[in-house]
Amino acid sequence: MKKIIILVAAMLFINNALAIALGDYINGNSARVQITSNRSMSFVTSDAKHSEYKLITNTGTTMILVNNKGQVYGFNWQDRRPALSQMLGPYKNEFDIAFKNRANKFNHRYLDINSPHLHIEQFGLPGAVMQGEMTATDLAPAN
């Protein structure tokens, strides 16, 4: 029984080790590292201000937005189980404070977070496909 528990814990650690968060650096080489049996990541487009990568998992699709310095500044997703905690990275504490102090605490279909360095919007039904976007405004390219 202990061997099974250790194996499951190791599998969870390996999957989480490949998580991408706001502020992480991504390029074509790191995108190739993200390809596993249950996920694939590919380059989509680029311009002078940013690049986009598409991450496909068994629960949905996430677009990863990267500034011209190679740093992740945002995500757009359509996923049954978006990994908000993992995506937030160093912005987790700011999110927790904003989430605790949000105006509408009873709407389980819509989430809107606006804090000094973070913007998150998500809608959908729990258990169904959730759609959303997350931007670290201090990392986003200037308009």
Side-chain angles (χ1 to χ4, degrees):
M1 182 67 168
K2 289 182 182 178
K3 289 180 183 179
I4 293 173
I5 291 171
I6 292 170
L7 179 62
V8 169
M11 289 172 60
L12 290 173
F13 177 74
I14 289 168
N15 283 339
N16 290 338
L18 296 174
I20 299 170
L22 293 171
D24 286 352
Y25 286 90
I26 290 189
N27 59 33
N29 292 331
S30 58
R32 284 189 284 279
V33 170
Q34 295 294 325
I35 298 171
T36 65
S37 60
N38 64 352
R39 72 177 77 199
S40 67
M41 187 168 160
S42 59
F43 173 78
V44 176
T45 188
S46 182
D47 63 24
K49 294 184 179 185
H50 83 282
S51 299
E52 295 179 17
Y53 293 86
K54 185 180 212 176
L55 179 64
I56 300 172
T57 67
N58 55 357
T59 61
T61 301
T62 301
M63 296 299 290
I64 302 165
L65 308 173
V66 180
N67 64 25
N68 61 359
K69 296 177 185 174
Q71 234 178 340
V72 175
Y73 74 86
F75 299 94
N76 294 324
W77 62 88
Q78 291 186 343
D79 201 320
R80 286 192 313 273
R81 291 188 308 251
L84 291 180
S85 293
Q86 291 175 355
M87 289 188 278
L88 285 163
Y91 294 85
K92 175 83 168 81
N93 190 46
E94 186 171 336
F95 170 81
D96 289 342
I97 292 167
F99 185 80
K100 180 181 176 186
N101 297 322
R102 70 193 187 282
N104 188 350
K105 296 181 181 188
F106 302 106
N107 188 347
H108 300 290
R109 296 181 190 182
Y110 182 71
L111 174 65
D112 186 18
I113 299 289
N114 284 300
S115 63
H117 305 105
L118 189 63
H119 168 75
I120 300 175
E121 240 181 296
Q122 177 175 272
F123 58 94
L125 294 172
V129 174
M130 304 293 282
Q131 295 182 9
E133 63 182 38
M134 174 187 302
T135 305
T137 55
D138 55 334
L139 298 176
N143 289 335

